[in-house]
Amino acid sequence: MSKETLTIIDNRTGREYEFPLIDGNLRTADLRQIKIAPDDFGVMGYDPAFMNTASCRSQITLIDGDRGILRYRGYPIEELAEKCSFLEVAWLLLNGELPSDTQLSEWVDEITHHTMLHETTRKFLEGFRYDAHPMSMLMSTVAALSTVYKDARNIFDPQGRHRNIVRLIAKMPTMAAYAYRHSRGFPYVYPDNDLTYAENFMNMLWRMVEPKYVANPTLARAIDVLFILHADHEQNCSTNVMRSVGSSHADPFAAVAGAIGALSGPLHGGANEQVLKMLDEIGPKANVPAYIRKVKNGECKLMGFGHRVYKNYDPRARIIKQTADEVFEVTGRNPKLETALELERIALEDDYFVTRKLYPNVDFYSGLIYQAVGFQPEMFTVLFAIPRTVGWLAQWQEMLLDPETKIARPRQVYTGYPLRDVGSMEEPEAETVMA
Ligand code: CMC
């Protein structure tokens, strides 16, 4: 019978080590037993960018990148996007099961009644420059919430933790809408408790002088579906930041602010804004082959293409393409769609992209929908941050309750100078030290 172990021979000493495999994986801490002398530090795993390192065990989201599969708590993303609302999915991610009717109505009621911002926070937002990026305003405002909710530091009190999870999910659309209104110079619109999560967001963004905002149901549903698709994506860059900051027992507002910072980068959530800028730069469809040549020459990247985990079509991109058709029925076709479709067509046939398994990701089409609905590109990443807050909080809570959690603290391979004197002009050779 095969054993669930791994045997490693150290060719420096000829010694043999047998390590257990847990769920088929090696605990890299076991490698420390491999030493050439008793005072040797032992062998570490060297894995910049965590290309092959699992940082936690999680029951929340499954991605099978080779088969293009994404599931939340076991449910396929396609079914959730078709049959559920965003707040149902939020409950699922946080609690592990879909809510009953009673649980759902209580949950919706709770979120609806925590959408208001403390007036000091609203005034805080007013202090930003008129041309501040909405993502920077959102990040700073979320961080500022910890000045209002001091109970947020009691992260091991289940009720307090729940209260602050509710506050964050409920207030994200309010802060996002206020950041947008601030950049336009429009007065802030208070939440309307008669509306759904997506409709209320639209109300806070776009209501002008009309007494009651009425959302277009197709556009409100499209925003809800996009929120479902963006709600979680296991251990991506920003979620890793959320867990890492949270592992020091910082409050959830500090951890979410950190995660928003990570999401804002163009290689992560910021890619959706960059896709639109790229489509603007390319211009008409006829210019696509020349742009593809630039990408292949290494002059630029095709934004919205490629993914660390998906090496097959991103399933979210497929759903977004369908949603785009429904939205364009209402708004008219986004003129950039032709260029985007041509880029996709050429890239999917081109050897450069095929051999590297580069396919459109979630960000490739989402910006076209957002623009058609009426958002400026600067708001696109903010639209990603609102739903991803749910995933961040679910992962944060799972981390806090996991008995294996310790403060996140990677090792390094030191490649700098060995000990030297300030007075000495000599520069000794760099050495490698584990620490
Ligand atoms: N355009 C052109 N070439 C690319 C692209 C691209 N978008 N993405 C990867 N490559 C090439 C890359 O140059 C490398 O080629 P080579 O082997 O010749 O050096 C090869 O493909 C492997 O790429 P990598 O950079 O090692 O892959 P990674 O897993 O480290 O990076 C990525 C993943 C998403 C950062 C990257 O594909 C990328 O920068 N894409 C564009 C930005 C983007 O759309 N980001 C959104 C990701 S999905 C949503 C999210 O996570 O927020």
Side-chain angles (χ1 to χ4, degrees):
M1 218 179 90
S2 72
K3 285 206 284 181
E4 280 298 299
T5 63
L6 187 72
T7 300
I8 295 179
I9 297 170
D10 184 347
N11 293 322
R12 297 169 302 176
T13 59
R15 294 223 328 253
E16 193 176 290
Y17 300 83
E18 186 177 356
F19 299 121
L21 289 177
I22 294 145
D23 297 329
N25 301 303
L26 176 73
R27 278 186 184 271
T28 23
D30 284 347
L31 296 174
R32 291 278 298 279
Q33 295 167 35
I34 306 178
K35 297 179 180 208
I36 45 174
D39 61 349
D40 178 19
F41 185 81
V43 170
M44 295 190 298
Y46 174 62
D47 186 15
F50 304 118
M51 296 290 283
N52 191 38
T53 295
S55 61
C56 62
R57 294 151 75 91
S58 180
Q59 303 185 345
I60 300 173
T61 293
L62 173 89
I63 303 176
D64 181 334
D66 290 329
R67 292 194 290 154
I69 285 174
L70 170 61
R71 293 184 199 137
Y72 297 159
R73 302 281 189 184
Y75 294 108
I77 191 67
E78 292 80 2
E79 277 193 47
L80 294 171
E82 189 189 329
K83 298 181 183 152
C84 297
S85 68
F86 169 66
L87 285 183
E88 259 177 301
V89 171
W91 173 278
L92 169 73
L93 285 166
L94 286 157
N95 299 295
E97 298 296 336
L98 282 165
S100 66
D101 289 347
T102 318
Q103 284 168 330
L104 181 61
S105 67
E106 282 171 12
W107 173 238
V108 171
D109 189 69
E110 217 178 351
I111 296 290
T112 308
H113 288 91
H114 282 86
T115 48
M116 298 277 288
L117 284 188
H118 193 284
E119 282 298 288
T120 55
T121 313
R122 192 182 61 75
K123 286 191 190 133
F124 176 84
L125 258 157
E126 280 169 10
F128 289 116
R129 262 180 68 119
Y130 66 96
D131 60 350
H133 196 288
M135 212 38 191
S136 310
M137 288 194 256
L138 184 70
M139 176 172 65
S140 315
T141 313
V142 169
L145 285 185
S146 67
T147 65
V148 181
Y149 304 112
K150 298 205 183 79
D151 65 338
R153 290 182 196 161
N154 302 333
I155 52 173
F156 291 110
D157 165 29
Q159 280 169 357
R161 199 168 54 235
H162 175 78
R163 202 162 42 244
N164 287 303
I165 286 174
V166 167
R167 282 176 178 146
L168 269 158
I169 296 171
K171 292 180 205 307
M172 282 299 280
T174 316
M175 289 182 279
Y178 281 16
Y180 168 75
R181 304 278 298 197
H182 180 77
S183 59
R184 302 263 108 190
F186 295 154
Y188 301 142
V189 175
Y190 286 100
D192 180 341
N193 288 357
D194 294 340
L195 303 177
T196 66
Y197 192 78
E199 288 169 347
N200 179 44
F201 180 42
M202 294 164 81
N203 158 63
M204 292 186 289
L205 286 163
W206 294 316
R207 185 157 77 82
M208 296 308 277
V209 291
E210 65 272 37
K212 186 94 182 159
Y213 183 81
V214 181
N216 177 297
T218 306
L219 303 187
R221 178 62 190 153
I223 290 179
D224 213 53
V225 168
L226 283 158
F227 281 180
I228 292 172
L229 301 184
H230 285 89
D232 193 48
H233 215 227
E234 52 119 304
Q235 306 315 311
N236 53 84
C237 178
S238 54
T239 302
N240 183 50
V241 169
M242 180 79 196
R243 280 183 176 258
S244 195
V245 176
S247 77
S248 76
H249 296 175
D251 74 57
F253 298 104
V256 170
I260 294 174
L263 187 72
S264 69
L267 298 188
H268 192 8
N272 53 16
E273 185 179 339
Q274 298 304 321
V275 170
L276 260 278
K277 289 194 174 143
M278 175 186 76
L279 293 174
D280 273 340
E281 188 190 330
I282 297 173
K285 184 175 149 179
N287 297 344
V288 168
Y291 196 82
I292 294 271
R293 274 197 298 281
K294 270 173 68 178
V295 172
K296 286 162 65 176
N297 287 341
E299 290 170 48
C300 55
K301 273 189 169 175
L302 192 52
M303 298 312 285
F305 260 69
H307 200 275
R308 170 63 58 79
V309 183
Y310 292 120
K311 299 301 171 193
N312 191 321
Y313 212 89
D314 180 338
R316 301 168 300 173
R318 193 172 283 124
I319 302 168
I320 285 185
K321 243 175 134 176
Q322 284 164 15
T323 310
D325 291 336
E326 289 155 25
V327 167
F328 296 155
E329 291 254 319
V330 177
T331 61
R333 230 167 127 102
N334 187 324
K336 296 189 186 78
L337 181 66
E338 291 301 327
T339 308
L341 287 169
E342 183 67 357
L343 263 179
E344 182 182 351
R345 188 187 69 75
I346 297 187
L348 293 184
E349 285 173 359
D350 192 295
D351 214 40
Y352 176 95
F353 297 91
V354 174
T355 52
R356 288 171 177 78
K357 299 190 173 169
L358 300 173
Y359 294 89
N361 58 49
V362 69
D363 292 321
F364 193 64
Y365 286 105
S366 62
L368 291 174
I369 302 185
Y370 290 143
Q371 193 172 50
V373 171
F375 292 102
Q376 271 68 37
E378 293 72 35
M379 279 298 285
F380 294 175
T381 318
V382 169
L383 293 163
F384 194 154
I386 295 171
R388 184 54 61 84
T389 298
V390 168
W392 290 331
L393 291 166
Q395 301 269 351
W396 168 74
Q397 180 159 257
E398 184 181 66
M399 181 232 16
L400 286 179
L401 302 181
D402 182 345
E404 280 200 294
T405 297
K406 282 177 178 288
I407 187 167
R409 205 299 187 186
R411 294 281 176 177
Q412 66 166 6
V413 179
Y414 177 72
T415 58
Y417 291 112
L419 182 64
R420 57 179 176 156
D421 270 348
V422 174
S424 151
M425 294 301 285
E426 272 175 43
E427 295 199 339
E429 299 246 308
E431 68 172 15
T432 296
V433 176
M434 314 298 178

